[in-house]
Amino acid sequence: MTPGLFTSALLLMSGIAFVYALTFLLDWLYNKLRRDSLAFSIFCLLTSIQAATLFFEYHTSSVGAYIILSKIEYGVVFLISLSMVWFLAALTQVNARWWLIILTPIIGILFAYNFLSHYPINASEIYGIKAIMLPWGEQVTAADYKVSWIVPIVAIVLLLVIISYFVICFLGRKSLGTIELLVLIVCVGMCVAAAISRIVFELKATHFLVIGPFGRLGLMLLMGTMLSMRHGHQSRELAASNIALTEEIENRRSAENDRKRVEEAMRESEERYRAVIEATDTGFVALDEQGRVLNANLNYAQMVGYPSVDKIIGRQIMEWTAPYDIERNHKEVGKCFEKGSVRGLEIDYKRADGTIVPIEINANVVQTNNGMVILTLCRDITERKRAQQKILAYQKQLKLLAAQLTAVSEKERRSIASEIHDEISQTLAMAKNKLDVLRSSPPSEWSSAEMEQISSYIKKVLQETRTLTFELSNPILY
């Protein structure tokens, strides 16, 4: 039988569908992330097989060949139904796992029944093959058959598949543009209309021309164009993203190099700083916000009574703070985080052997990748405290000596005053009285005895003055 317009169109459609299948399969192989391309490729391949099967089915004159071709065609229809669900889910980015879990076993049973039964799934008995003349003069062959009891069940299953189409489209509407959604609804509607018309004609046992592949051809043309546009847009976005990512990588690489240089400089600075600290017998400790030791040097570990730094890493500084200074130390740590630094803080530590060590603390708060950290320099001020105590003791002794000296000086002053009053003053008073008597009498009456007595008074005063001067300031000392 010579192919006519209808069957030639089926053959042409099969070729177009096959080309589409190869095209989108290659697109998926190029970019494995495009699951919609893989699903659409399988859909196009199955549509190509169905169209080719229908072409041979409409030109066969053998009942046996018709049964085989019809079984293949119905089996492909079942697979197309599942591939359509997968394609819509991949296109709309909807998780259709439960739909596939429900539909796959049901369609699998129908698929197996179709191939295991004696006749295709739509017929319980085939009487023969007959020729049909189409309105435009084309002649095709069709089977004269009895409708199978399972056709209503197939109709219900296809109805469930159709419902899944629209549910997936509804759930994935936000991932599609307005035009894409409209195109998808039109294409799904074409497939649904073809499926419904086929079910109606199957139930009436009336021969019809299968128009489903042509509906799917329209879907392939529209969806293929839409997918190509979407993938082109995605490719442009990906290229722009790649450029931006490359720039970001370069920026990060540059920033990483800068960070490494800064870290290297900081490491060298830290090593020099640590060397200076070690040379000055100064303890260094880094604390977190809870007062736990993050890092320290050996001087600090030995300062608190431990032989190595490992013994104190991760421990609270309050563990070796003197009991009477724990609360104050807690408050000072909090103040340090608030103000950013602390200077000249004196805290007593209790070493592992129980001895008390006075410590002078100077600290700064710095921001690190691990949060806020207190960097602390600690100095053992035991010797300074001892020196201060000695100075205080000397000061106390000097005050006591000064008080004693003042008392002795006061006693000496009183003794000198008493001697002056008792000896010198009285002698001078007697000399003065004699002189007053002589002054009141004429010189002719002045006797040598009286003059001698006044002279002796004066000599006595001079002698007592020399004695007192000698007692106050011994010339031997000078």
Side-chain angles (χ1 to χ4, degrees), residues 1 57-61 129-132 139-143 207:
M1 185 179 297
E57 185 178 334
Y58 283 125
H59 290 82
T60 185
S61 58
I129 301 296
K130 58 183 179 181
I132 298 177
Q139 185 177 346
V140 295
T141 59
H207 179 73

Side-chain angles (χ1 to χ4, degrees), residues 155-175:
I156 295 173
V157 172
L158 290 179
L159 179 62
L160 184 62
V161 172
I162 291 170
I163 292 174
S164 72
Y165 292 169
F166 286 102
V167 170
I168 292 173
C169 291
F170 176 77
L171 294 177
R173 66 190 184 281
K174 293 183 179 180
S175 63

Side-chain angles (χ1 to χ4, degrees), residues 393-403:
Y394 291 153
Q395 289 177 346
K396 186 176 181 180
Q397 291 178 358
L398 288 174
K399 287 180 181 179
L400 181 60
L401 290 174

